[in-house]
Each structure stands twice: as structure tokens, then as C-alpha cells.
Amino acid sequence: MPPYTRTFIAVHFTPEIVANLEGIAQKLRASLGKHNKINWVQAQNIHLTLQFLGDVSPPGLEELAFGLSRAFVDTCPFEIELRGVGCFPTPTKPRVIWVGMHTGRQSVAALQQCVHAVTAPLGFIPEQRPFNPHVTLGRVKWFNDSKNLLAFFEKNADLGAGKCQIQAIHLMGSKLTPAGARYTVLDSFELGI
């Protein structure tokens, strides 16, 4: 049996945006205290997922790379702004804490549709929930601090991480380790090329 790679397709951000997102996560950690178990995303792993694909064989990766290399020729680079902190599903029972996308949502949704046009014919099922572009800061294991989380959201409703140009899409590999996930760029695809 060939080795499989846990795979997803993502957008990356500039180092400045990543640093700003890490700063927001640090503010949240300080605000929430120690009575919660949240796995905070390491700065080098911060991204926006367009589609999670799961385990993919080497021939499958080749097919994906070939399809993705042609998928974005008609898509120009565009600007996004990350702003607003929230969580899924609710502040009383958070599972994911995130920073939202203030501008560029439609352009990112169009990118996701381009990705689905490549992945669906290869047998990858698109997510059935509506696409809500966001950057995950932390995944909640257990939580006991809704009051402080709500207070943080209210106080920082318009907290932003900045603007940047999206110029490429990345095919990513993910390896789960005891220290957390390690992501590797398997291939990159520039927009408009």
C-alpha cells in the first residue's frame, strides 16, 4: 500500500499578518486565564483552509497538483482584511476560536469554488456547511470561562490583524505528532498564471 499524505488546500498570509494574529491569540490567552484547555495554533501553522482532503495517495497528489496548476489562471491576486474575533458554535460552548475576514470574502469564496471544480471530479466531497472564511486561532478541548470570552469579544469586536494580498494557493501536507500538527507546502499555485 502506498504512503498516504494527510492533505488540505490553503491560503497563507504575510509574516506581518501572522505576527498580528499571534498577538491577538496572546491577548486571548491572557484574558481567559488557565481554567480552559485550548490548543492554540502555532504561528507557523496559521492559514485559511479552502478544503480539507484527508489522506491522499501519491498519484492522487499528482492529479491534484495538475488540476490546481490550471485552476487559477483567470483569478487575479486580491486584497483581504482580517478583522473581528469570534467562535464556533457559540461563546458558551466554543469549539473553535477565530479571526474573521472583513474584506475579500467573495474573492476567497470564488477561490474555494475553483478548488472544488478540481477536487470534486477526483472524488473529494466538498464541505456541506456554508463556507465561512476565517483563521483558526485555537481549538477548544474543554472550557469554563464564557464570561471572560464574551467580555473579550465585546471589547475587541473590531480588532484587526491587517490587510494583505492573496497571490497564491498552497497544497499542504499535514503530519500529526505528539507536539501538534506539522504542515509542509507540497506545491504552490500563483493566481493569474
Side-chain angles (χ1 to χ4, degrees):
M1 180 179 275
Y4 286 80
T5 304
R6 190 170 185 263
T7 307
F8 62 96
I9 299 169
V11 170
H12 290 169
F13 306 108
T14 62
E16 179 185 5
I17 296 288
V18 170
N20 292 343
L21 290 166
E22 178 65 14
I24 292 170
Q26 288 174 357
K27 282 184 178 179
L28 263 165
R29 282 194 292 267
S31 174
L32 295 178
K34 299 177 183 179
H35 301 291
N36 309 293
K37 174 64 174 159
I38 301 171
N39 290 340
W40 297 99
V41 176
Q42 297 174 357
Q44 68 269 20
N45 287 346
I46 289 176
H47 66 277
L48 184 149
T49 301
L50 294 173
Q51 187 175 5
F52 178 75
L53 303 173
D55 292 332
V56 180
S57 67
L61 289 174
E62 288 179 18
E63 288 181 305
L64 281 166
F66 179 76
L68 292 170
S69 70
R70 299 165 174 246
F72 309 108
V73 293
D74 295 327
T75 305
C76 294
F78 59 91
E79 185 177 80
I80 60 142
E81 180 182 7
L82 299 176
R83 178 176 299 280
V85 185
C87 65
F88 297 134
T90 68
T92 54
K93 294 185 179 181
R95 302 310 299 131
V96 173
I97 298 174
W98 47 260
V99 171
M101 186 164 293
H102 184 66
T103 59
R105 294 175 67 85
Q106 290 180 331
S107 296
V108 170
L111 279 185
Q112 190 199 43
Q113 291 305 309
C114 290
V115 166
H116 287 171
V118 171
T119 61
L122 297 175
F124 298 99
I125 309 296
E127 175 69 52
Q128 297 305 305
R129 291 176 291 193
F131 183 53
N132 187 355
H134 66 278
V135 180
T136 299
L137 295 182
R139 292 177 180 86
V140 179
K141 295 301 180 187
W142 54 268
F143 192 77
N144 193 25
D145 208 351
S146 297
K147 182 179 176 184
N148 283 337
L149 185 62
L150 280 166
F152 185 91
F153 288 168
E154 288 172 10
K155 184 177 178 183
N156 298 282
D158 207 32
L159 186 62
K163 300 177 182 180
C164 72
Q165 286 278 315
I166 301 300
Q167 300 179 343
I169 304 305
H170 306 282
L171 181 63
M172 302 294 296
S174 171
K175 185 174 183 180
L176 300 178
T177 73
R182 292 192 180 167
Y183 299 153
T184 305
V185 176
L186 303 175
D187 211 337
S188 296
F189 312 95
E190 291 187 43
L191 302 185
I193 295 178

